[in-house]
Amino acid sequence: MGGEPGRKALDAALEDAPGARGRAPRRRWPQALGSYALTLLALVTLNFLLPRAMPGDPIEALAAEGSGGFTFGEQSRQALEEYYGLDGSLLEQYGSYLGRLARGDLGRSIATLAPVRDEISRRLPWTILLVGGSLLLATGIGLLTGVHAGWRRDRPLDRTLLTVLLAVRELPTFLLGSLLLFLFAVKLEWLPLAGAQDTFGSFGPVGKVVDIGRHLLLPLVVLGLGLAVGTYLVMRAGMVTQLGSDHLLLGQAKGLGQRRLKYRYAARNALLPVVSLAALQLGFAITGDVLVERVFTYPGLGRLLFDSLTARDYPVIQGVFLVVSVTVVTVNALADGLYRRLDPRTVA
Amino acid sequence: MEAPGQALLSVRDLHASFHTDAGVVKAVDGVSFDLRRGEVLAVVGESGSGKSVTAMSLLGLLPSPPARVSGQVLWKGRDLVGLAEPEMRKVRGAEIAMVFQDPMSSLNPLHTVGRQIAEVVRLHTTSSKRQAWERAIEMMDLVGIPQARRRAKSYPHEFSGGMRQRVMIAIALACDPDLLIADEPTTALDVTIQAQVLELLQETKERTSSAILLITHDLGIVAGMADEVLVMYAGKVVERGPARDVFYRSRHPYTLGLLAALPRVDDEAADNRLRPIEGTPPSLIHVPSGCSFHPRCSFRRLETCSVDEPPLAAHGGEAHRAACHFAEDVVSVAPADLQRSVPSAAAAAPGP
């Protein structure tokens, strides 16, 4: 056996061992910022190129939308291109786009001539309400169901949830949306059919909130349910993995109660992948938002994006893409930070 | 508190089985033993012999279903089998504490080690948060973690394996338990660290007059620490007795086989080869008839051993018991003899 001197020597050695010497330094700020800036530049470039890669262009779309059979002559077309700043080479256009962007100018819509900034800021609150709300709803439902189902794996509750939620996920958004609309708005007439608020009603502050809530409910549920399934599956899988873990067994041997083991031990550990997922979910949520806003005629960014895509309205498409990509990058950065706070192992 | 002279822990006819799709796995099949204060009882056997399941069923830690536990676990005169969960929780960690095999995964990775020690103190005593934290630091100091006050705020991943095992022992000892169950406490550790962890356990026992149930497959550890030894095979106790008797006057072929499988450094055995026990442990769903060890035994006589199950009978004194029909033949053989006689009966005999 080692004996006292051996132990002392070992202790000294352990103190000097790398892993034992407290935490490694954090990743430096400039480095992190630099990588995010690079990501953003790549996104801006893609946002500029993608709309232009679609067949057709805004001028053609204008013509199609206007009086039937009206066609441009070569000269008027050139004049229009010049007017909308579409006349230069791709590189020139890109340069001037970056230049204006640097000054905070998003340009004007080709279809409506309104400043893109106004078009976006008018609709952004509705989308924040819808997407943000459904992400919260999805995370809430997903966590709750995932924790309980995973903890009672293979019991009736778990089996039921698994079947029902997987079935919900397989329903296309527009189908689920139309079904709910038909049921609650057309048949039962409990909820409004379209829009975000009642334009003609005059409400007090409380009435206004209720009105907005009633309009929000169905789109929120349709968008949220689909997202909740992802969170639920990841959380459930995490809990199931935790069930057999050694630290849970030690917790049990310490005499800890079920509640503490379930939440402080199992759920807390299973939560980590959900944080990463939540940031990814934002991307899915925005995709879903475009569809849901179509179905419910909701006046948010999704509708704006859909309309501007149809009109090949480059400045608006770029503007919406920009807002979306900046948001996604920011949220991912936040999730990164949150993850670091939640898991001490990622700090080193 | 138990009456004077009475055992701290009395296990009587303990059974633990798992109901699986393939059949009923009898992991522990009628195990009995006593453990007194200040005593170290070692339970030895191969993987799957039922030693860990025995330990887990003492504290009601087996998941049920699929596990079913019956028999008696008398702890200070009270039967722990079938005890209500809230009552059981007061015993766990406070009166009976457990140290597990793998220090790398047994600590919660998201809590500081100090918090994990303080947690059990807060749970079982009336101490304040601050007192519990001080107790955690005291315990870390006690188990030989340098700079305990600073290291209490570190997370498990910032510790080496040996240091983590010390943390786990600190958790186990934090509430001054009367019994410490150590389930392969050194298996995952380097040999040098192993010795230190064992020494720590030994010191603890001497300081607190608690009892230790040491579960291991390592006979070297047993020789250094145990007062009593329980040898398990296929869920049953095949030999038990004072450590010296079991080691030097083994009366069960399985014990003898375990000893012969040990490397020896002394010159006598220098040119002898290690002798693994032939065959593999039996399936616990279809346990062999008669003596469950007979298919692997070099002393067997089929007409007896495959039919009659030998009782755990006393040999050479009440304390030393072995479950073998031919215990008297076995006792005359030394492990070194087995190592020397290479073509053994079992190797020559046709397989089961």
Side-chain angles (χ1 to χ4, degrees), chain A residues 15-309:
Chain A
E15 266 307 287
D16 281 344
R21 200 191 292 156
R23 300 174 189 185
R26 285 159 184 273
R27 192 154 74 128
R28 292 202 181 84
W29 270 108
Q31 200 187 335
L33 270 180
S35 75
Y36 284 123
L38 215 63
T39 311
L40 212 58
L41 184 68
L43 284 171
V44 166
T45 310
L46 273 177
N47 291 350
F48 173 82
L49 289 174
L50 279 176
R52 287 168 174 78
M54 292 191 298
D57 65 51
I59 314 287
E60 267 175 42
L62 268 181
E65 196 186 293
S67 47
F70 178 82
T71 47
F72 292 113
E74 199 47 39
Q75 264 185 334
S76 40
R77 188 185 169 92
Q78 258 173 18
L80 277 169
E81 281 187 347
E82 209 173 311
Y83 179 73
Y84 290 118
L86 299 168
D87 50 341
S89 71
L90 207 57
L91 205 61
E92 282 169 1
Q93 288 185 41
Y94 180 58
S96 78
Y97 170 60
L98 283 187
R100 271 183 281 119
L101 200 59
R103 293 194 301 275
D105 179 8
L106 295 180
R108 281 172 181 274
S109 160
I110 293 171
T112 66
L113 293 179
V116 171
R117 182 206 289 264
D118 295 352
E119 292 274 8
I120 288 176
S121 56
R122 197 147 46 85
R123 291 170 170 88
L124 192 59
W126 296 118
T127 295
I128 290 176
L129 198 63
L130 178 54
V131 170
S134 57
L135 273 176
L136 282 181
L137 181 78
T139 309
I141 293 179
L143 286 183
L144 218 66
T145 50
V147 166
H148 291 293
W151 191 249
R152 311 214 133 260
R153 168 194 195 181
D154 289 339
R155 305 281 177 86
L157 173 79
D158 179 36
R159 284 171 190 271
T160 315
L161 274 175
L162 199 60
T163 317
V164 170
L165 286 177
L166 282 179
V168 165
R169 192 177 65 162
E170 294 310 314
L171 275 181
T173 308
F174 67 87
L175 186 63
L176 183 64
S178 309
L179 277 174
L180 290 180
L181 262 186
F182 181 71
L183 185 65
F184 290 102
V186 179
K187 279 280 162 199
L188 297 169
E189 294 188 28
W190 289 351
L191 293 169
L193 194 54
Q197 56 186 338
D198 200 331
T199 339
F200 305 108
S202 53
F203 304 107
V206 179
K208 195 173 160 87
V209 170
V210 171
D211 179 50
I212 290 176
R214 276 163 48 85
H215 281 84
L216 185 64
L217 189 62
L218 282 184
L220 191 73
V221 166
V222 170
L223 193 52
L225 267 187
L227 296 170
V229 181
T231 309
Y232 155 79
L233 285 175
V234 170
M235 193 65 194
R236 178 186 177 276
M239 289 299 281
V240 168
T241 313
Q242 288 293 316
L243 277 183
S245 72
D246 290 341
H247 72 90
L248 208 65
L249 183 64
L250 180 66
Q252 217 183 340
K254 281 160 94 172
L256 297 178
Q258 290 290 305
R259 278 182 74 84
R260 206 178 169 84
L261 290 172
K262 182 174 174 181
Y263 294 106
R264 293 278 181 87
Y265 277 66
R268 179 70 169 68
N269 274 279
L271 186 66
L272 298 172
V274 176
V275 173
S276 318
L277 179 75
L280 287 178
Q281 292 264 49
L282 179 66
F284 298 125
I286 288 165
T287 318
D289 172 67
V290 176
L291 292 170
V292 168
E293 288 192 9
R294 268 298 280 174
V295 173
F296 293 93
T297 345
Y298 207 77
L301 277 191
R303 273 271 304 290
L304 181 64
L305 180 62
F306 190 89
D307 294 344
S308 59
L309 281 170

Side-chain angles (χ1 to χ4, degrees), chain B residues 23-194:
Chain B
V24 178
V25 178
K26 288 187 199 162
V28 178
D29 195 3
V31 167
S32 303
F33 61 88
D34 287 328
L35 189 52
R36 275 163 289 275
R37 277 188 186 279
E39 214 174 57
V40 177
L41 172 68
V43 182
V44 299
E46 289 163 293
S47 313
S49 60
K51 51 195 197 308
S52 285
V53 177
T54 302
M56 302 268 282
S57 48
L58 297 184
L59 273 180
L61 290 178
L62 296 174
S64 167
R68 244 177 247 176
V69 176
S70 62
Q72 273 189 320
V73 175
L74 291 173
W75 172 250
K76 299 177 179 176
R78 179 164 68 149
D79 192 356
L80 297 184
V81 174
L83 194 66
E85 187 60 22
E87 287 300 304
M88 196 72 210
R89 258 183 247 141
K90 288 182 197 154
V91 177
R92 288 184 197 136
E95 297 178 30
I96 305 179
M98 208 158 165
V99 173
F100 292 97
Q101 173 174 0
D102 192 353
M104 298 319 235
S105 60
S106 291
L107 297 171
N108 188 335
L110 303 181
H111 295 170
T112 62
V113 298
R115 180 175 166 185
Q116 299 190 49
I117 304 170
E119 184 179 39
V120 73
V121 177
R122 288 270 283 160
L123 188 68
H124 295 296
T125 66
T126 52
S127 43
S128 70
K129 246 184 178 162
R130 201 187 166 75
Q131 286 169 325
W133 185 258
E134 288 303 319
R135 173 73 175 161
I137 291 167
E138 186 191 328
M139 291 313 298
M140 286 175 71
D141 209 36
L142 188 76
V143 298
I145 297 172
Q147 297 185 293
R149 187 164 296 277
R150 189 172 65 85
R151 300 289 275 149
K153 290 183 207 133
S154 302
Y155 290 92
H157 73 274
E158 294 165 329
F159 285 77
S160 65
M163 284 290 145
R164 281 189 227 188
Q165 192 58 291
R166 285 172 193 234
V167 171
M168 197 152 33
I169 293 172
I171 291 174
L173 300 181
C175 296
D176 292 323
D178 299 306
L179 169 62
L180 184 67
I181 302 177
D183 187 357
E184 307 263 8
T186 58
T187 305
L189 303 178
D190 286 344
V191 182
T192 46
I193 319 278
Q194 278 185 11

